[in-house]
């Protein structure tokens, strides 16, 4: 193999860029010697001298000289892709893996893992993982769902989403619900503190000191929350909370309450109170559609931020923590923004119902 020494010209900008790469201690080693080859070539050194300086073979020196001539500095920064030594899986095999993942289950489990699918198909677990990643399949994950069978689903969704997106003027829209049976759990030992390389800890066992129920009303517009803890979850307590809302919302403004279909919200005593207070308008969510009530989002936040990882020696201790969270939340309230339109929700609902009908029909 013979080739005459080549000459190349470096612009001031390219020379400065290559010299910066060589002197930067964070530059990868392979990029450093590639830049040194080009710089030495531009300085007029012959091939053998460049080989000695870079400690590389003649074909390597020639290769990176040509790469620079073809692609400039950017060509030095990347390796050319090389075909894998392992031949790709046939398309038929990939399709079989996808079909088997979606339509079948292993004989001894409810879902496939990489190893069980690899054993069933006679390929490697890493190949199974690549196929699943490309197809967007995650058989190890599952999500809960429930499609509402409420015959008035469309009307209720349209009504409640309308209150979120276009609330009536001079009215208050409150999302009301109860977080019942909140346990005052006292951990048997103090948890270890957070430190480098270790998450915060808490014991798996605990002592129960009773329960409380949080009644909450979330103002859709402001994000403020009216909250009260009560020992039980009955119509009596719900009426007490309605009176609390009546006192909190001053004036003669209409109050629209978004509620679920719990029986305590529909007792004769509650209906009688509502007849005496006509400014209160109730809007019930569809059955199996508690996600439509924005206060559920507040319950998720108070659970994750204040309740779940706490340790409480009594119910009073738990309620003090809840009231403290409500106080801090209301000091800087931030409303939850509803973005889905009623048409978006109804379209997805119909698609889910059609999918369920197809599944039921195939059985």
């Amino acid at each position: 193999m013979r080739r005459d020494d080549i000459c190349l010209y470096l612009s001031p900008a390219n020379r400065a860029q290559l010299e910066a790469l060589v002197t930067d201690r964070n530059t990868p080693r392979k990029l450093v010697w590639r830049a040194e080859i080009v710089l030495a070539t531009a300085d007029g050194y012959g091939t053998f001298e460049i080989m000695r300086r870079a400690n590389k073979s003649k074909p390597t020196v020639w290769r990176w000289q040509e790469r620079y001539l073809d692609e400039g500095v950017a060509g030095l920064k990347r390796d050319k892709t090389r075909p894998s030594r392992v031949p790709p899986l046939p398309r038929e095999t990939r399709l079989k893996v996808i079909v088997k993942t979606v339509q079948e289950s292993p004989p001894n489990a409810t879902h496939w893992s990489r190893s069980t699918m690899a054993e069933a198909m006679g390929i490697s677990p890493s190949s199974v993982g690549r196929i699943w990643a490309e197809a967007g399949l995650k058989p190890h994950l599952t999500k809960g769902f429930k499609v509402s069978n409420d015959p008035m689903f469309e009307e209720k969704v349209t009504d409640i989403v309308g209150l979120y997106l276009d609330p009536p003027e001079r009215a208050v829209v409150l999302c009301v619900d109860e977080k019942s049976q909140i346990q005052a759990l006292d951990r048997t030992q103090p948890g270890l503190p957070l430190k480098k390389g270790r998450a915060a800890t808490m014991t798996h066992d605990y002592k129960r000191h009773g329960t409380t129920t949080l009644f909450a009303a979330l103002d859709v517009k402001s994000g403020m929350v009216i909250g009260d803890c009560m020992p039980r979850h009955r119509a009596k307590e719900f009426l007490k909370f309605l009176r609390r809302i009546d006192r909190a919302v001053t004036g003669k403004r209409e109050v629209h309450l978004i509620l679920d279909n719990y029986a305590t919200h529909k007792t004769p005593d509650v209906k009688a109170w509502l007849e005496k207070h006509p400014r209160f308008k109730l809007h019930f969510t569809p059955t199996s559609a508690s996600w439509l009530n924005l206060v559920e989002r507040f319950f998720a936040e108070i659970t994750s931020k204040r309740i779940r990882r706490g340790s409480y020696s009594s119910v009073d201790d738990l309620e003090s923590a809840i009231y403290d969270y409500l106080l801090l939340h209301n000091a800087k309230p931030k409303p939850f923004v509803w973005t889905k339109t009623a048409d978006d929700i109804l379209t997805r609902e119909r698609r889910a119902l059609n999918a369920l009908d197809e599944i039921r029909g195939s059985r």
Side-chain angles (χ1 to χ4, degrees), residues 33-255:
W33 59 256
R34 293 172 188 174
E36 288 176 342
I37 287 174
V38 175
L39 287 170
T41 304
D43 290 338
Y45 291 101
T47 300
F48 288 100
E49 178 61 18
I50 297 173
M51 290 167 54
R52 186 187 67 80
R53 287 170 171 251
N55 194 26
K56 297 297 176 184
S57 65
K58 186 184 295 185
T60 301
V61 171
W62 289 348
R63 180 185 309 119
W64 292 104
Q65 287 173 338
E66 292 175 355
R67 179 73 66 83
Y68 176 79
L69 290 172
D70 292 339
E71 303 180 27
V73 177
L76 303 180
K77 294 182 179 181
R78 64 176 183 82
D79 295 323
K80 283 194 173 181
T81 56
R82 299 178 179 86
S84 173
R85 289 177 292 179
V86 180
L89 290 173
R91 185 171 180 274
E92 293 75 13
T93 302
R94 303 166 74 86
L95 291 176
K96 287 181 181 178
V97 170
I98 294 173
V99 171
K100 201 173 189 66
T101 304
V102 175
Q103 298 183 358
E104 301 178 22
S105 298
N108 61 343
T110 58
H111 60 280
W112 294 100
S113 66
R114 296 203 317 169
S115 58
T116 55
M117 179 60 75
E119 183 179 357
M121 295 298 299
I123 57 179
S124 68
S126 58
S127 297
V128 174
R130 284 192 293 271
I131 294 171
W132 284 348
E134 292 173 0
L137 298 176
K138 299 178 180 180
H140 63 290
L141 297 180
T142 181
K143 286 186 177 181
F145 85 104
K146 179 66 181 290
V147 179
S148 175
N149 57 4
D150 194 319
M152 297 184 64
F153 181 83
E154 184 171 344
E155 292 83 350
K156 291 180 178 179
V157 167
T158 303
D159 177 34
I160 293 174
V161 174
L163 291 174
Y164 290 155
L165 299 181
D166 187 20
E169 294 183 4
R170 295 183 294 278
V172 179
V173 179
L174 299 176
C175 297
V176 178
D177 202 358
E178 304 86 18
K179 184 173 179 60
S180 60
Q181 298 295 309
I182 308 174
Q183 299 186 80
L185 303 180
D186 189 10
R187 302 293 165 178
T188 57
Q189 296 174 357
L192 299 176
L194 182 71
K195 64 178 291 186
K196 183 179 179 180
R198 184 184 70 196
T201 64
M202 62 181 183
T203 60
H204 68 278
D205 56 341
Y206 46 79
K207 295 179 182 178
R208 293 188 179 94
H209 295 288
T211 63
T212 188
T213 295
L214 172 60
F215 286 73
L218 170 70
D219 187 339
V220 172
K221 183 177 181 180
S222 68
M224 297 276 290
V225 176
I226 303 169
D228 203 357
C229 290
M230 302 185 195
R232 299 187 64 180
H233 183 199
R234 302 171 300 181
K236 178 181 177 181
E237 284 77 18
F238 180 61
L239 272 174
K240 183 179 178 182
F241 188 60
L242 286 178
R243 297 186 184 101
R244 168 79 186 278
I245 295 174
D246 190 28
R247 293 192 300 270
V249 182
T250 58
K252 298 182 179 180
R253 291 180 296 171
E254 285 189 348
V255 181

Side-chain angles (χ1 to χ4, degrees), residues 268-301:
D269 290 341
V270 172
K271 292 179 180 178
W273 188 90
L274 291 171
E275 288 178 0
K276 296 177 182 179
H277 298 78
R279 71 175 182 142
F280 280 75
K281 313 292 183 183
L282 270 57
H283 307 262
F284 292 101
T285 61
T287 56
S288 305
S290 60
W291 47 266
L292 197 57
N293 197 332
L294 271 179
V295 75
E296 298 292 343
R297 187 65 191 86
F298 172 76
F299 285 155
E301 285 206 351

